[in-house]
Amino acid sequence: MRPRFILFGDSITQQSFSPGGWGAGLTDRYARKADVVLRGYSGYNTRWALFLLGKLFPAGLQDAPALVTIFFGANDAALPDRSHKRQHVPVPEYKANLCEIISAVKSLSKDTLIVLITPPPVYEKALQETAWKLYGADPEEAFSRTNDAAGRYAKACVEAAGQAEASVIDLWTCMQEKPGWQTRYLRDGLHLTAEGNAVVFEKLLEVLNDKGLSFEAMRWDFPEYGDVNADNPVKTLWELQNCGK
Amino acid sequence: MRPRFILFGDSITQQSFSPGGWGAGLTDRYARKADVVLRGYSGYNTRWALFLLGKLFPAGLQDAPALVTIFFGANDAALPDRSHKRQHVPVPEYKANLCEIISAVKSLSKDTLIVLITPPPVYEKALQETAWKLYGADPEEAFSRTNDAAGRYAKACVEAAGQAEASVIDLWTCMQEKPGWQTRYLRDGLHLTAEGNAVVFEKLLEVLNDKGLSFEAMRWDFPEYGDVNADNPVKTLWELQNCGK
């Protein structure tokens, strides 16, 4: 009935409806025009994401989404010799997996807007402090992710978008342009604060506006109440709806 | 694929994904388990809502929602001799309309949980100040809604829920039990603050928990990442999914 925006990703997507979250912001902004569908899978990497494609984007799906955001990498970038190694995916495989996800979405419709989002930067000091609190002084637990590693995945994500002709938001780079990004945008060194969520929201709106999916360009789901003729609501509600106003 | 929670109502529903909103909170709480679908229509009363039923709850719909919230009355209660009179619906008709909406939802499935929410109380002083700012000293614009009128609709809403055997949250009554409700819960005398949204969220969770739709009682959409066997993800992802864990 309404165009769908599917948000596919890991915990940074799953948590995007917490207070100030970018998914909630998108739903609010596109109320009456698009349905935002949350498909965030906390802890998942792109290797595991591939197994979900058949259910999320099954071949032959009639109602192709208008937008799909693909936001993985924070778990793929977990270091291979530390406590989160089971989530690790090597960079070349990560990049190939992103291309496979894009390909699955594109197979449904050429009209779907696909937006890749790179992993955000990592503030190692806060991550280590979190690990110390949770696990004590186990050096295996600390240093499970580095900002350098996240940067390599961000670069690969940008390259995958270029190769597969998808849009991309280089969050890793643009967040670090702001002084104080470490605590301004990240609440535990990895996940986003409300202000960090706002960066994703604003960058995403820019892409949507640029690619013909601005709020203004989209059709209302039933007319605004000021356009309803109170003396003859059936006329306005159905005629306006059917003429697409 | 996932059970759907449909939020059907007026602006207080449409705005429920603003920061601190009850719709966003519900999406966050039920991430990985239910899809929250926003069907809020700012300015709409129950008379106009009836015209939407055929599209929102069409007869023969296979995928009946697990939950429908029905949250109207703030516009129906606009006074018939003031500037918002075109939105006014008399109390008996409002009550009958609610029963008709419930009946349309019930016709899809007997298993759908239906929760009516009464209009919130009205803080007339703030409403009048807003009207003065927007329209100046036009007495037609001020006093378009009163708390007494909202209370009559709330009472009718509770009665409709009783007659039609639906659940109900009497927001008008429970909000007024808290000292300072006028500005604590209402931001302009009519719409909800973040704290007012939290009341709706908490009351709704109570009903969901009570009626078998607690988060814990619902099935995961794919296993938690800790349950994924990294050495054999296809096995865990598909076997766990298929056995409903």
Side-chain angles (χ1 to χ4, degrees):
Chain A
M1 179 172 169
R2 288 189 197 177
R4 289 180 308 144
F5 291 175
I6 299 185
L7 314 184
F8 186 36
D10 55 31
S11 57
I12 307 175
T13 297
Q14 184 174 322
Q15 296 170 9
S16 69
F17 285 75
S18 60
W22 62 277
L26 200 67
T27 311
D28 188 43
R29 185 73 189 86
Y30 283 84
R32 303 282 294 280
K33 297 210 174 174
D35 282 336
V36 178
V37 182
L38 178 58
R39 289 293 178 267
Y41 296 85
S42 184
Y44 276 54
N45 54 31
T46 53
R47 190 185 290 163
W48 303 344
L50 293 186
F51 294 108
L52 315 186
L53 293 181
K55 274 228 172 170
L56 301 189
F57 307 105
L61 183 74
Q62 291 297 310
D63 181 24
L67 166 74
V68 177
T69 61
I70 301 170
F71 191 172
F72 285 99
N75 299 312
D76 302 63
L79 298 184
D81 54 355
R82 299 285 177 178
S83 59
H84 290 266
K85 58 190 172 194
R86 59 192 294 279
Q87 292 168 289
H88 172 77
V89 172
V91 170
E93 183 188 337
Y94 166 72
K95 190 172 161 183
N97 291 344
L98 286 180
C99 289
E100 194 169 333
I101 297 170
I102 293 170
S103 175
V105 176
K106 283 199 171 183
S107 74
L108 298 178
S109 166
K110 298 292 173 211
D111 297 330
T112 300
L113 175 62
I114 300 175
V115 183
L116 265 64
I117 306 174
T118 78
V122 169
Y123 178 41
E124 295 163 25
K125 185 162 168 281
L127 259 196
Q128 291 156 21
E129 282 167 5
T130 305
W132 271 66
K133 273 184 211 150
L134 286 173
Y135 311 109
D138 181 351
E140 274 287 306
E141 293 290 347
F143 307 103
S144 66
R145 288 172 170 87
T146 64
N147 194 38
D148 269 0
R152 287 192 291 277
Y153 287 77
K155 186 165 169 286
C157 179
V158 172
E159 289 168 2
Q163 283 176 24
E165 297 183 352
S167 296
V168 66
I169 296 169
D170 185 352
L171 204 59
W172 189 83
T173 299
C174 77
M175 280 190 161
Q176 292 182 77
E177 288 166 357
K178 186 87 172 181
W181 61 268
Q182 293 90 340
T183 53
R184 179 190 292 268
Y185 294 145
L186 303 171
R187 63 176 168 75
D188 58 1
L190 183 66
H191 297 94
L192 307 181
T193 59
E195 209 173 333
N197 272 281
V199 173
V200 179
F201 175 68
E202 294 298 336
K203 292 285 172 188
L204 193 52
L205 273 198
E206 281 175 25
V207 178
L208 287 163
N209 287 335
D210 190 45
K211 298 289 184 182
L213 281 180
S214 68
F215 177 81
E216 291 72 20
M218 294 179 75
R219 179 185 160 142
W220 283 88
D221 168 13
F222 294 107
E224 289 188 274
Y225 83 97
D227 289 336
V228 175
N229 179 341
D231 297 326
N232 194 353
V234 67
K235 180 175 159 66
T236 41
L237 283 167
W238 286 108
E239 287 189 1
L240 288 178
Q241 176 70 9
N242 291 333
C243 75
K245 196 183 162 187
Chain B
M1 178 172 169
R2 288 188 196 176
R4 288 180 309 144
F5 292 175
I6 299 184
L7 314 184
F8 186 36
D10 54 32
S11 58
I12 305 174
T13 296
Q14 184 174 322
Q15 295 170 10
S16 69
F17 284 75
S18 60
W22 62 277
L26 200 66
T27 311
D28 189 44
R29 184 76 187 84
Y30 282 84
R32 304 280 296 277
K33 297 210 175 174
D35 282 335
V36 178
V37 183
L38 177 58
R39 290 292 178 266
Y41 295 84
S42 183
Y44 276 55
N45 54 32
T46 54
R47 189 185 290 163
W48 304 344
L50 293 186
F51 294 108
L52 315 187
L53 292 181
K55 274 226 170 173
L56 302 189
F57 308 105
L61 183 74
Q62 291 298 308
D63 180 24
L67 166 74
V68 176
T69 60
I70 301 169
F71 192 173
F72 284 100
N75 298 312
D76 301 64
L79 298 183
D81 53 357
R82 298 285 178 177
S83 59
H84 290 266
K85 59 191 172 194
R86 59 194 293 281
Q87 293 168 290
H88 172 79
V89 172
V91 170
E93 182 188 338
Y94 165 74
K95 189 173 164 182
N97 291 344
L98 286 179
C99 290
E100 194 169 334
I101 296 170
I102 293 169
S103 175
V105 176
K106 285 199 171 183
S107 73
L108 299 180
S109 166
K110 297 292 172 213
D111 297 328
T112 300
L113 175 62
I114 300 175
V115 183
L116 265 65
I117 307 172
T118 77
V122 168
Y123 179 40
E124 295 162 25
K125 185 163 166 282
L127 259 195
Q128 289 155 22
E129 282 167 6
T130 305
W132 269 66
K133 274 183 210 152
L134 287 173
Y135 312 109
D138 181 352
E140 274 285 307
E141 294 291 346
F143 309 103
S144 65
R145 288 170 170 88
T146 65
N147 194 39
D148 269 359
R152 287 193 292 278
Y153 288 77
K155 185 166 172 284
C157 179
V158 172
E159 289 168 2
Q163 283 176 24
E165 296 183 353
S167 297
V168 66
I169 296 168
D170 185 352
L171 204 60
W172 188 84
T173 299
C174 78
M175 280 190 161
Q176 291 183 79
E177 288 165 358
K178 185 89 172 181
W181 61 268
Q182 294 88 340
T183 53
R184 178 189 292 267
Y185 294 145
L186 304 170
R187 64 174 167 75
D188 58 2
L190 181 66
H191 297 94
L192 306 181
T193 59
E195 209 174 334
N197 272 282
V199 174
V200 178
F201 175 68
E202 294 298 338
K203 292 284 172 190
L204 192 52
L205 273 198
E206 282 175 23
V207 178
L208 286 163
N209 287 335
D210 190 46
K211 298 289 183 181
L213 281 180
S214 69
F215 176 81
E216 291 72 20
M218 294 179 75
R219 176 186 162 143
W220 283 87
D221 167 13
F222 295 106
E224 288 188 274
Y225 82 98
D227 290 335
V228 175
N229 179 343
D231 296 325
N232 195 352
V234 67
K235 181 175 157 67
T236 41
L237 284 167
W238 285 109
E239 287 190 0
L240 289 176
Q241 176 70 8
N242 291 334
C243 76
K245 195 184 163 188

